[in-house]
Amino acid sequence: MKRKVAGIAFLIGSLYYIIAEAISATYFNASIFNTYIFHTISELGIPNGNSPLFFLMNSAFILIGLTLIFGTFYKFKDYIIKNKKFCYAFTVITALGVIIVGLIHGGNPLTSGYHTLGAVMAILGGNILLVLVSRSMDEFGWYQKSTLILGIIGLIAFWIMFFSMTSIYMPVYERLSVYTLIIWSFLTGIYLSRD
């Protein structure tokens, strides 16, 4: 029963994130295509005229962080056989990072450093977590292989983004490195619900 509850939590968190971002992007002060290609996810969470539904995006950040903490420590931790301390540490780092992003907005010179720190914790920490999880379970089936592939894609996208901060396509690399964690959350929900 606990695994199904944790699985449902992961499913709800990931689906809420995707839907919340899509709705926020739809109402952003740009076409939805331009929003996804030329505007970062963080811009959707800045409370200004460009993003009237900023609160929706920020709630998605916070919820996915809480989902990761709850789902992992409520049940998913039981599937981690090796590297437990590292997996737990990166779970907390990733979750806190996403929550910081949701609570401290970008675009403000006084707080942008904290926002950036939260983003690095969430994106880099999250993709390292995926690689760790994939190699820390007692089997290496479809779920673990998918987790490893997502983690590697996310890390590559993060480093491309890191060295392309001035590129107009930086938001694309950002989304690639963030969506790996969201997709993993969805897959984890399926894995726990069907296990």
Short mmCIF file of all heavy atoms in Angstrom, two decimals, residues 153-184:
data_model
loop_
_atom_site.label_atom_id
_atom_site.label_comp_id
_atom_site.label_asym_id
_atom_site.label_seq_id
_atom_site.Cartn_x
_atom_site.Cartn_y
_atom_site.Cartn_z
N ILE A 153 21.62 12.38 -19.91
CA ILE A 153 21.10 13.45 -20.77
C ILE A 153 21.02 14.76 -20.00
O ILE A 153 21.41 15.82 -20.50
CB ILE A 153 19.71 13.07 -21.33
CG1 ILE A 153 19.83 11.93 -22.33
CG2 ILE A 153 19.03 14.28 -21.99
CD1 ILE A 153 18.50 11.34 -22.77
N GLY A 154 20.52 14.69 -18.76
CA GLY A 154 20.38 15.89 -17.95
C GLY A 154 21.71 16.54 -17.63
O GLY A 154 21.84 17.77 -17.67
N LEU A 155 22.72 15.73 -17.32
CA LEU A 155 24.04 16.28 -17.01
C LEU A 155 24.68 16.92 -18.25
O LEU A 155 25.28 17.99 -18.16
CB LEU A 155 24.96 15.18 -16.45
CG LEU A 155 24.63 14.71 -15.03
CD1 LEU A 155 25.46 13.48 -14.67
CD2 LEU A 155 24.86 15.83 -14.03
N ILE A 156 24.53 16.27 -19.39
CA ILE A 156 25.06 16.84 -20.64
C ILE A 156 24.37 18.16 -20.95
O ILE A 156 25.01 19.17 -21.27
CB ILE A 156 24.91 15.85 -21.81
CG1 ILE A 156 25.82 14.64 -21.60
CG2 ILE A 156 25.20 16.53 -23.15
CD1 ILE A 156 25.58 13.50 -22.57
N ALA A 157 23.03 18.17 -20.83
CA ALA A 157 22.27 19.40 -21.10
C ALA A 157 22.64 20.50 -20.12
O ALA A 157 22.73 21.68 -20.50
CB ALA A 157 20.77 19.11 -21.03
N PHE A 158 22.87 20.13 -18.86
CA PHE A 158 23.27 21.14 -17.85
C PHE A 158 24.59 21.79 -18.23
O PHE A 158 24.73 23.02 -18.16
CB PHE A 158 23.37 20.50 -16.47
CG PHE A 158 23.92 21.44 -15.43
CD1 PHE A 158 23.08 22.35 -14.80
CD2 PHE A 158 25.27 21.44 -15.09
CE1 PHE A 158 23.57 23.24 -13.85
CE2 PHE A 158 25.76 22.31 -14.14
CZ PHE A 158 24.92 23.22 -13.51
N TRP A 159 25.58 20.99 -18.62
CA TRP A 159 26.88 21.56 -18.96
C TRP A 159 26.83 22.38 -20.24
O TRP A 159 27.50 23.40 -20.35
CB TRP A 159 27.94 20.45 -19.04
CG TRP A 159 28.29 19.95 -17.69
CD1 TRP A 159 28.05 18.70 -17.18
CD2 TRP A 159 28.90 20.69 -16.62
NE1 TRP A 159 28.46 18.63 -15.87
CE2 TRP A 159 28.99 19.82 -15.50
CE3 TRP A 159 29.36 22.00 -16.51
CZ2 TRP A 159 29.54 20.23 -14.30
CZ3 TRP A 159 29.91 22.40 -15.29
CH2 TRP A 159 30.00 21.53 -14.21
N ILE A 160 26.03 21.96 -21.20
CA ILE A 160 25.84 22.79 -22.41
C ILE A 160 25.21 24.12 -22.01
O ILE A 160 25.64 25.18 -22.46
CB ILE A 160 24.97 22.06 -23.46
CG1 ILE A 160 25.70 20.83 -23.99
CG2 ILE A 160 24.61 23.00 -24.60
CD1 ILE A 160 24.86 19.95 -24.89
N MET A 161 24.19 24.06 -21.16
CA MET A 161 23.54 25.28 -20.68
C MET A 161 24.53 26.17 -19.94
O MET A 161 24.57 27.38 -20.15
CB MET A 161 22.38 24.92 -19.76
CG MET A 161 21.68 26.13 -19.15
SD MET A 161 20.50 25.69 -17.84
CE MET A 161 21.63 25.27 -16.49
N PHE A 162 25.34 25.56 -19.07
CA PHE A 162 26.30 26.31 -18.25
C PHE A 162 27.26 27.12 -19.12
O PHE A 162 27.62 28.25 -18.78
CB PHE A 162 27.08 25.35 -17.36
CG PHE A 162 27.99 26.01 -16.38
CD1 PHE A 162 27.48 26.56 -15.21
CD2 PHE A 162 29.35 26.10 -16.64
CE1 PHE A 162 28.32 27.19 -14.29
CE2 PHE A 162 30.20 26.73 -15.73
CZ PHE A 162 29.68 27.27 -14.56
N PHE A 163 27.67 26.55 -20.24
CA PHE A 163 28.61 27.24 -21.13
C PHE A 163 27.91 27.99 -22.27
O PHE A 163 28.57 28.46 -23.19
CB PHE A 163 29.64 26.24 -21.69
CG PHE A 163 30.58 25.71 -20.65
CD1 PHE A 163 30.45 24.40 -20.18
CD2 PHE A 163 31.57 26.51 -20.12
CE1 PHE A 163 31.31 23.91 -19.20
CE2 PHE A 163 32.44 26.04 -19.14
CZ PHE A 163 32.31 24.73 -18.68
N SER A 164 26.59 28.07 -22.18
CA SER A 164 25.83 28.78 -23.22
C SER A 164 24.85 29.78 -22.61
O SER A 164 23.77 30.00 -23.14
CB SER A 164 25.04 27.77 -24.07
OG SER A 164 25.88 26.76 -24.58
N MET A 165 25.25 30.38 -21.49
CA MET A 165 24.34 31.27 -20.76
C MET A 165 23.91 32.48 -21.59
O MET A 165 22.84 33.04 -21.37
CB MET A 165 24.98 31.73 -19.46
CG MET A 165 25.25 30.59 -18.48
SD MET A 165 23.79 29.63 -18.05
CE MET A 165 22.99 30.74 -16.92
N THR A 166 24.73 32.88 -22.55
CA THR A 166 24.38 34.04 -23.38
C THR A 166 23.66 33.65 -24.67
O THR A 166 23.24 34.52 -25.43
CB THR A 166 25.65 34.85 -23.73
OG1 THR A 166 26.57 33.99 -24.42
CG2 THR A 166 26.31 35.40 -22.47
N SER A 167 23.51 32.36 -24.90
CA SER A 167 22.84 31.90 -26.12
C SER A 167 21.33 32.15 -26.02
O SER A 167 20.74 32.00 -24.95
CB SER A 167 23.09 30.41 -26.32
OG SER A 167 22.25 29.87 -27.33
N ILE A 168 20.73 32.50 -27.14
CA ILE A 168 19.27 32.71 -27.13
C ILE A 168 18.54 31.39 -26.92
O ILE A 168 17.37 31.37 -26.57
CB ILE A 168 18.77 33.39 -28.43
CG1 ILE A 168 19.08 32.53 -29.66
CG2 ILE A 168 19.36 34.79 -28.57
CD1 ILE A 168 18.42 33.04 -30.93
N TYR A 169 19.25 30.29 -27.14
CA TYR A 169 18.63 28.97 -26.97
C TYR A 169 18.92 28.35 -25.60
O TYR A 169 18.60 27.18 -25.36
CB TYR A 169 19.09 28.01 -28.07
CG TYR A 169 18.69 28.48 -29.45
CD1 TYR A 169 19.65 28.93 -30.34
CD2 TYR A 169 17.35 28.51 -29.83
CE1 TYR A 169 19.29 29.39 -31.61
CE2 TYR A 169 16.98 28.96 -31.09
CZ TYR A 169 17.95 29.40 -31.97
OH TYR A 169 17.58 29.86 -33.21
N MET A 170 19.50 29.11 -24.69
CA MET A 170 19.79 28.60 -23.36
C MET A 170 18.56 28.02 -22.68
O MET A 170 18.65 26.96 -22.02
CB MET A 170 20.41 29.71 -22.49
CG MET A 170 20.92 29.22 -21.14
SD MET A 170 19.65 29.10 -19.86
CE MET A 170 19.53 30.80 -19.35
N PRO A 171 17.37 28.63 -22.82
CA PRO A 171 16.18 28.05 -22.19
C PRO A 171 15.86 26.62 -22.65
O PRO A 171 15.29 25.83 -21.89
CB PRO A 171 15.05 29.01 -22.58
CG PRO A 171 15.75 30.32 -22.77
CD PRO A 171 17.07 29.96 -23.40
N VAL A 172 16.25 26.28 -23.89
CA VAL A 172 16.03 24.93 -24.39
C VAL A 172 16.90 23.94 -23.62
O VAL A 172 16.43 22.89 -23.17
CB VAL A 172 16.33 24.84 -25.90
CG1 VAL A 172 16.24 23.38 -26.39
CG2 VAL A 172 15.38 25.73 -26.69
N TYR A 173 18.17 24.31 -23.42
CA TYR A 173 19.08 23.45 -22.66
C TYR A 173 18.62 23.34 -21.20
O TYR A 173 18.71 22.27 -20.59
CB TYR A 173 20.51 23.99 -22.71
CG TYR A 173 21.02 24.23 -24.11
CD1 TYR A 173 21.63 25.43 -24.46
CD2 TYR A 173 20.88 23.26 -25.10
CE1 TYR A 173 22.09 25.65 -25.75
CE2 TYR A 173 21.33 23.48 -26.40
CZ TYR A 173 21.94 24.68 -26.71
OH TYR A 173 22.38 24.91 -27.99
N GLU A 174 18.12 24.46 -20.67
CA GLU A 174 17.61 24.44 -19.30
C GLU A 174 16.46 23.44 -19.18
O GLU A 174 16.44 22.62 -18.26
CB GLU A 174 17.13 25.83 -18.90
CG GLU A 174 16.53 25.88 -17.51
CD GLU A 174 15.54 27.01 -17.30
OE1 GLU A 174 14.79 27.34 -18.26
OE2 GLU A 174 15.49 27.54 -16.19
N ARG A 175 15.52 23.52 -20.09
CA ARG A 175 14.37 22.61 -20.03
C ARG A 175 14.79 21.16 -20.20
O ARG A 175 14.28 20.26 -19.52
CB ARG A 175 13.32 23.01 -21.06
CG ARG A 175 12.50 24.21 -20.62
CD ARG A 175 11.37 24.55 -21.59
NE ARG A 175 10.46 25.48 -20.96
CZ ARG A 175 10.66 26.81 -20.90
NH1 ARG A 175 11.74 27.34 -21.46
NH2 ARG A 175 9.79 27.58 -20.28
N LEU A 176 15.74 20.90 -21.09
CA LEU A 176 16.21 19.52 -21.27
C LEU A 176 16.80 18.98 -19.97
O LEU A 176 16.60 17.81 -19.63
CB LEU A 176 17.27 19.48 -22.38
CG LEU A 176 16.77 19.57 -23.81
CD1 LEU A 176 17.93 19.66 -24.78
CD2 LEU A 176 15.87 18.39 -24.16
N SER A 177 17.52 19.83 -19.24
CA SER A 177 18.16 19.38 -18.00
C SER A 177 17.17 19.28 -16.84
O SER A 177 17.40 18.56 -15.89
CB SER A 177 19.33 20.30 -17.63
OG SER A 177 18.89 21.62 -17.42
N VAL A 178 16.06 20.01 -16.93
CA VAL A 178 15.04 19.97 -15.88
C VAL A 178 14.03 18.85 -16.13
O VAL A 178 13.64 18.13 -15.21
CB VAL A 178 14.29 21.32 -15.78
CG1 VAL A 178 13.05 21.21 -14.90
CG2 VAL A 178 15.22 22.40 -15.24
N TYR A 179 13.64 18.68 -17.37
CA TYR A 179 12.61 17.69 -17.70
C TYR A 179 13.05 16.26 -17.40
O TYR A 179 12.21 15.38 -17.22
CB TYR A 179 12.19 17.80 -19.16
CG TYR A 179 11.37 19.03 -19.48
CD1 TYR A 179 11.12 19.39 -20.80
CD2 TYR A 179 10.85 19.83 -18.47
CE1 TYR A 179 10.37 20.52 -21.10
CE2 TYR A 179 10.10 20.96 -18.77
CZ TYR A 179 9.86 21.30 -20.08
OH TYR A 179 9.13 22.41 -20.38
N THR A 180 14.36 16.02 -17.36
CA THR A 180 14.81 14.67 -17.02
C THR A 180 14.31 14.27 -15.63
O THR A 180 13.88 13.13 -15.43
CB THR A 180 16.35 14.57 -17.08
OG1 THR A 180 16.92 15.61 -16.27
CG2 THR A 180 16.84 14.69 -18.50
N LEU A 181 14.35 15.21 -14.69
CA LEU A 181 13.88 14.93 -13.33
C LEU A 181 12.36 14.74 -13.30
O LEU A 181 11.85 13.89 -12.58
CB LEU A 181 14.29 16.05 -12.38
CG LEU A 181 13.95 15.85 -10.90
CD1 LEU A 181 14.68 14.64 -10.33
CD2 LEU A 181 14.29 17.09 -10.08
N ILE A 182 11.66 15.54 -14.10
CA ILE A 182 10.19 15.44 -14.14
C ILE A 182 9.77 14.11 -14.76
O ILE A 182 8.88 13.42 -14.25
CB ILE A 182 9.59 16.62 -14.92
CG1 ILE A 182 10.08 17.97 -14.36
CG2 ILE A 182 8.07 16.55 -14.90
CD1 ILE A 182 9.83 18.18 -12.89
N ILE A 183 10.43 13.74 -15.86
CA ILE A 183 10.13 12.45 -16.51
C ILE A 183 10.45 11.30 -15.56
O ILE A 183 9.69 10.34 -15.44
CB ILE A 183 10.93 12.31 -17.83
CG1 ILE A 183 10.44 13.35 -18.85
CG2 ILE A 183 10.81 10.90 -18.39
CD1 ILE A 183 11.34 13.47 -20.07
N TRP A 184 11.59 11.41 -14.85
CA TRP A 184 11.95 10.38 -13.88
C TRP A 184 10.90 10.26 -12.77
O TRP A 184 10.55 9.16 -12.37
CB TRP A 184 13.32 10.68 -13.26
CG TRP A 184 13.67 9.73 -12.16
CD1 TRP A 184 14.15 8.45 -12.30
CD2 TRP A 184 13.54 9.95 -10.75
NE1 TRP A 184 14.31 7.87 -11.06
CE2 TRP A 184 13.95 8.78 -10.09
CE3 TRP A 184 13.11 11.04 -9.98
CZ2 TRP A 184 13.96 8.64 -8.70
CZ3 TRP A 184 13.11 10.92 -8.60
CH2 TRP A 184 13.52 9.73 -7.97
#
